[in-house]
C-alpha cells in the first residue's frame, strides 16, 4: 500500500528533526551523566523507550507519532540505518512493502511492546519512601493554598502516592483529557476535511470548513492540509466545467454557539470557527501567543479568493452560506491523522488545536460542536471509558477556562491508560508530551534539574495563580511512573513551577525502595 502523501511530505522534516534531537540528546546526556552518577545505561534505554526515543549505537532519534497502522516511514528507515536490528512492524504486511525484504533491516520496536517491557524493569517504589521524598516539596508554601498530587505505577495501575483528592483548576493539563476523548471517540487515524463544492444549478462555489485548525496557506505546508492545493483542485474542476467566473461563499455551519472563548479576545486562542487558516495568526509563527484575526473564516475565504484569482478564476461575493444538499464536490484536502494533531497540541500546548479536537469529540458523539457541547462530550466519553470523574468538569478543551476541574487521580489514570499495550490508539498522548530540556513547553525548563532532564515527559499548565504538571517519568530503577501535580492559589509562579519540576525530578532520581 503506498504511503500517504502527508508522510512523504513530512519525511525530510522528520529526518532533520531526528538528527537535531540526536545532537541535543548527546549533549544533555553528557551533562547529566557528569552530575548524576545514578543515570545508568539501563535507565537511558528505559527512559528512551518510555517516551518514544530510539537509542542505538550511542545515538538517539525522535520517534512518533504512532498511529494504529504504523510508525512513520522516515523515522523507521533512519533508525534502521543506524543499527541493523529491529522489532515488530505494527501489523504491516511483510515483504518489500515493509522494508523487510532483501535483507533490509527490520523496523524499530513498536511503542506497545516497548512500554509493556518497561513495566517489568526494576521494582516499583515503596509508598512510604516515596512520600518521604515528595512530601517536603509538595507541602511547601510555594504551591499556594490548594494542591493535590498522585503517582501511579504504570505497569500495575497501583497508586503509589496521593495527596488530596479535590478537583482543582487544571489549566493546560486539561489537554490530556481532550486528547484521550478525541482519540477514543473519533479514532487516531481520523482526518479533518476541508472542501469546496458547487451549489446545485448555480455558479456559486462554497468553501466548506471541517474544523481543521492546521489548514495552512503557506508554501511550506510541513505535511498539513494546504489551501493552495485546494485552490489547485478547485480551479481545475471549474475549468473542466468551463467556468472562470464564480461567486465564492464560505460555510462554517459545522460549529455551533459562540466563537469567542469565555476569556474574550486573547493572543493564546483565535475565535473558534470551523474554517480558518494558520490559526488566524497575523504573523508567521506556528505556536505560542500571537495576534489573531477577528474573523478567521472570512479571512480564510479572502485568502482562498486570492489563490483562485492567481489560478485564473475570477470571483465575486464573500458572504457566509451553507452548502446545499446535492452540491458537487470540486476539491478537498485533509489534515494529518488526529494522532499527529494530538501530538502537536500537547507538545506546544496549542489551544486552537485543543478546541478543535474537543469539537471533533462532540461531532463523533452526536453532540453540538460548541464549547458547552464539546465539554459535555469529553466528559461523556471519559465516563464511557470508566475513568473516575467525581468533581470533574469541562468548560472547554484547552484548559484556558477557570471553570474546568480535574483531579490528579484522573490525570494519572489517563496517562496509565495511554501506556496500556492494548490501547495503541492512545499512544500519541505519551509521545506528544514535552520532554524535559528538549521539546515544547519543557524545552527551556529543567536547566538546574539534571536528574529530570530527558527522563521527565510532561504537560505543563499555567494560569494566574494556577500551576500544574502531569506526565510520565522513568525512575532510578527503570520503572515507568505516571504523575500529576495540581496547585491553585500560587503567588509566585516561578517558585511554583520550580517546585513542581523538582518534584518530577525527585521521581526520576528516586529508587525509593522502602516500604
Amino acid at each position: 500500500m503506498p504511503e500517504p502523501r502527508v508522510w512523504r511530505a513530512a519525511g525530510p522534516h522528520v529526518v532533520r528533526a531526528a538528527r537535531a534531537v540526536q545532537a541535543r540528546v548527546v549533549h544533555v546526556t553528557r551533562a547529566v551523566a557528569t552530575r548524576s552518577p545514578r543515570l545508568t545505561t539501563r535507565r537511558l534505554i528505559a527512559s528512551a523507550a518510555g517516551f518514544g526515543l530510539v537509542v542505538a549505537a550511542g545515538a538517539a532519534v525522535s520517534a512518533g507519532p504512532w498511529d494504529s497502522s504504523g510508525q512513520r516511514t522516515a523515522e523507521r528507515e533512519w533508525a534502521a540505518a543506524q543499527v541493523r536490528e529491529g522489532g515488530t512492524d505494527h501489523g504491516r504486511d511483510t515483504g518489500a512493502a515493509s522494508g523487510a525484504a532483501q535483507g533490509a533491516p527490520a523496523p524499530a520496536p513498536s511503542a506497545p511492546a516497548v512500554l509493556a517491557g518497561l513495566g517489568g524493569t526494576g521494582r516499583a517504589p515503596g509508598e512510604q519512601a516515596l512520600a518521604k521524598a515528595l512530601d517536603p516539596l509538595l507541602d511547601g508554601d510555594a504551591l499556594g493554598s490548594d494542591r493535590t498530587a498522585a503517582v501511579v505505577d504504570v505497569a500495575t495501575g497501583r497508586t503509589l502516592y496521593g495527596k488530596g483528592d479535590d478537583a482543582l483548576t487544571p489549566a493546560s493539563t486539561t489537554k490530556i483529557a481532550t486528547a484521550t476523548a478525541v482519540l477514543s471517540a473519533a479514532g487516531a487515524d481520523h482526518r479533518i476535511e476541508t472542501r469546496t463544492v458547487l451549489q446545485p444549478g448555480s455558479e456559486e462555489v462554497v468553501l466548506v470548513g471541517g474544523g481543521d485548525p492546521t489548514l495552512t496557506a503557506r508554501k511550506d505546508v510541513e505535511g498539513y492540509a494546504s489551501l493552495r492545493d485546494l485552490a489547485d483542485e478547485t480551479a481545475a474542476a471549474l475549468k473542466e466545467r468551463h467556468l472562470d467566473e464564480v461567486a465564492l461563499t464560505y460555510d462554517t455551519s459545522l460549529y455551533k454557539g459562540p466563537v469567542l472563548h469565555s476569556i474574550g479576545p486573547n493572543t493564546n486562542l483565535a475565535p473558534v470557527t470551523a474554517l480558518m487558516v494558520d490559526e488566524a495568526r497575523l504573523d508567521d509563527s506556528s505556536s505560542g501567543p500571537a495576534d489573531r484575526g477577528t474573523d478567521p473564516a472570512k479571512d480564510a475565504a479572502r485568502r482562498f479568493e486570492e489563490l483562485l484569482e492567481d489560478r485564473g478564476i475570477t470571483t465575486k461575493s464573500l458572504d457566509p452560506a451553507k452548502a446545499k444538499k446535492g452540491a458537487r464536490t470540486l476539491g478537498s484536502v485533509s489534515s494529518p491523522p488526529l494522532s499527529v494533531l494530538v501530538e502537536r497540541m500537547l507538545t506546544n500546548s496549542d489551544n486552537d488545536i485543543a478546541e478543535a479536537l474537543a469539537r471533533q469529540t462532540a461531532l463523533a458523539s452526536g453532540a453540538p460542536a460548541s464549547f458547552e457541547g464539546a465539554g459535555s462530550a469529553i466528559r461523556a466519553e471519559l465516563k464511557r471509558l470508566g475513568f473516575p470523574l467525581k468533581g470533574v468538569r469541562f468548560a472547554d478543551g484547552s484548559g484556558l477556562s477557570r471553570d474546568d476541574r480535574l483531579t490528579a487521580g484522573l490525570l494519572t489514570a489517563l496517562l496509565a491508560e495511554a501506556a496500556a499495550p492494548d490501547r495503541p490508539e492512545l499512544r500519541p498522548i505519551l509521545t506528544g508530551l514535552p520532554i524535559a530540556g528538549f521539546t515544547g513547553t519543557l524545552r527551556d525548563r529543567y536547566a538546574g534539574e539534571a536528574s529530570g532532564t530527558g527522563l521527565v515527559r510532561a504537560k505543563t499548565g499555567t494560569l494566574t495563580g494556577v500551576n500544574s504538571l502531569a506526565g510520565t517519568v522513568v525512575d532510578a530503577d527503570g520503572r515507568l511512573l505516571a504523575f500529576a501535580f495540581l496547585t491553585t492559589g500560587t503567588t509566585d509562579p516561578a517558585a511554583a513551577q520550580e517546585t513542581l519540576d523538582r518534584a518530577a525530578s525527585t521521581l526520576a532520581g528516586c529508587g525509593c525502595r522502602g516500604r
Side-chain angles (χ1 to χ4, degrees):
M1 179 179 177
E3 188 176 37
R5 180 178 62 184
V6 65
W7 296 144
R8 293 200 302 271
H13 304 285
V14 171
V15 173
R16 286 197 296 272
R19 289 171 177 162
V21 169
Q22 172 186 344
R24 190 165 174 82
V25 168
V26 171
H27 172 76
V28 176
T29 298
R30 288 172 179 166
V32 172
T34 301
R35 289 173 283 178
S36 182
R38 299 189 67 185
L39 188 60
T40 63
T41 300
R42 182 179 68 168
R43 287 192 70 202
L44 282 174
I45 295 173
S47 63
F51 46 71
L53 295 178
V54 179
V55 178
V61 299
S62 173
W66 306 81
D67 62 23
S68 63
S69 64
Q71 180 185 11
R72 279 182 174 173
T73 297
E75 297 164 359
R76 185 177 68 250
E77 291 177 349
W78 193 88
Q82 309 309 302
V83 54
R84 299 183 72 81
E85 296 177 357
T88 57
D89 195 20
H90 292 266
R92 289 182 183 270
D93 295 335
T94 58
S98 66
Q102 305 298 323
S110 65
V114 167
L115 290 167
L118 262 181
T121 303
R123 196 172 81 184
E127 296 178 23
Q128 293 182 13
L130 201 55
K132 183 177 180 180
L134 289 177
D135 279 347
L137 291 168
L138 298 180
D139 287 339
D141 294 338
L143 297 187
S145 57
D146 300 292
R147 77 284 311 268
T148 181
V151 179
V152 168
D153 177 32
V154 168
T156 64
R158 183 166 65 95
T159 298
L160 304 175
Y161 178 85
K163 179 177 289 295
D165 59 1
D166 292 340
L168 301 181
T169 302
S172 279
T173 56
T174 299
K175 294 180 175 73
I176 295 173
T178 301
T180 303
V182 74
L183 290 171
S184 176
D189 295 333
H190 177 69
R191 299 168 186 261
I192 305 172
E193 183 183 52
T194 305
R195 60 195 177 97
T196 53
V197 299
L198 187 65
Q199 297 280 46
S202 75
E203 296 179 354
E204 179 186 344
V205 174
V206 186
L207 175 60
V208 184
D212 179 8
T214 64
L215 178 68
T216 180
R218 296 169 182 169
K219 290 183 178 180
D220 187 359
V221 300
E222 298 184 346
Y224 295 97
S226 170
L227 194 68
R228 294 169 183 266
D229 288 349
L230 184 58
D232 288 340
E233 292 185 16
T234 303
L238 289 173
K239 289 175 181 178
E240 287 180 359
R241 292 169 169 79
H242 306 291
L243 294 174
D244 56 12
E245 184 173 347
V246 296
L248 177 63
T249 58
Y250 56 97
D251 184 350
T252 62
S253 62
L254 187 66
Y255 285 4
K256 310 299 180 185
V259 299
L260 275 182
H261 192 282
S262 59
I263 61 174
N266 194 283
T267 57
N268 289 297
L269 178 67
V272 183
T273 71
L275 177 64
M276 66 169 64
V277 293
D278 299 308
E279 297 183 341
R281 294 173 179 270
L282 299 180
D283 58 19
D284 60 357
S285 66
S286 59
S287 64
D291 290 334
R292 313 300 184 99
T294 58
D295 192 344
K298 188 166 187 175
D299 291 344
R302 184 176 292 112
R303 185 72 184 97
F304 191 65
E305 177 187 39
E306 294 171 356
L307 292 171
L308 287 180
E309 294 273 359
D310 291 343
R311 288 154 179 78
I313 303 296
T314 302
T315 64
K316 56 185 179 181
S317 182
L318 259 185
D319 298 321
K322 185 173 182 178
K324 297 178 181 178
K325 186 177 181 179
R328 301 292 297 272
T329 298
L330 298 172
S332 66
V333 291
S334 294
S335 72
L338 292 188
S339 57
V340 177
L341 270 58
V342 162
E343 286 193 319
R344 176 171 161 180
M345 171 188 72
L346 292 172
T347 300
N348 297 329
S349 199
D350 192 304
N351 298 304
D352 299 278
I353 295 178
E355 296 302 342
L357 294 183
R359 282 156 181 72
Q360 290 298 315
T361 305
L363 293 169
S365 307
S370 62
F371 283 106
E372 182 178 357
S376 297
I378 291 171
R379 195 180 197 284
E381 184 63 19
L382 298 186
K383 181 179 180 180
R384 185 186 71 80
L385 294 172
F387 288 105
L389 296 175
K390 181 181 178 180
V392 170
R393 182 165 70 245
F394 295 98
D396 63 10
S398 62
L400 286 172
S401 174
R402 292 181 178 275
D403 292 331
D404 290 326
R405 293 291 185 274
L406 266 66
T407 64
L410 172 60
L411 287 169
T412 51
L414 294 171
L415 291 163
E417 186 72 3
D422 61 346
R423 298 304 300 270
E425 73 278 10
L426 300 182
R427 205 73 70 241
I429 296 169
L430 299 186
T431 56
L433 293 173
I435 305 170
F438 284 81
T439 61
T441 54
L442 287 184
R443 181 180 180 87
D444 297 323
R445 286 169 62 165
Y446 286 81
E449 292 293 333
S451 59
T453 301
L455 300 176
V456 173
R457 186 157 199 166
K459 182 69 199 75
T460 57
T462 307
L463 294 170
T464 301
V466 175
N467 295 88
S468 56
L469 191 69
T472 63
V473 62
V474 179
D475 75 2
D477 292 324
R479 196 78 174 189
L480 184 64
L481 308 176
F483 67 89
F485 308 136
L486 303 177
T487 69
T488 62
T490 58
T491 57
D492 185 339
Q497 178 178 290
E498 180 183 357
T499 301
L500 296 183
D501 289 351
R502 288 175 59 197
S505 291
T506 296
L507 289 175
C510 181
C512 301
R513 290 192 176 187
R515 296 179 60 187

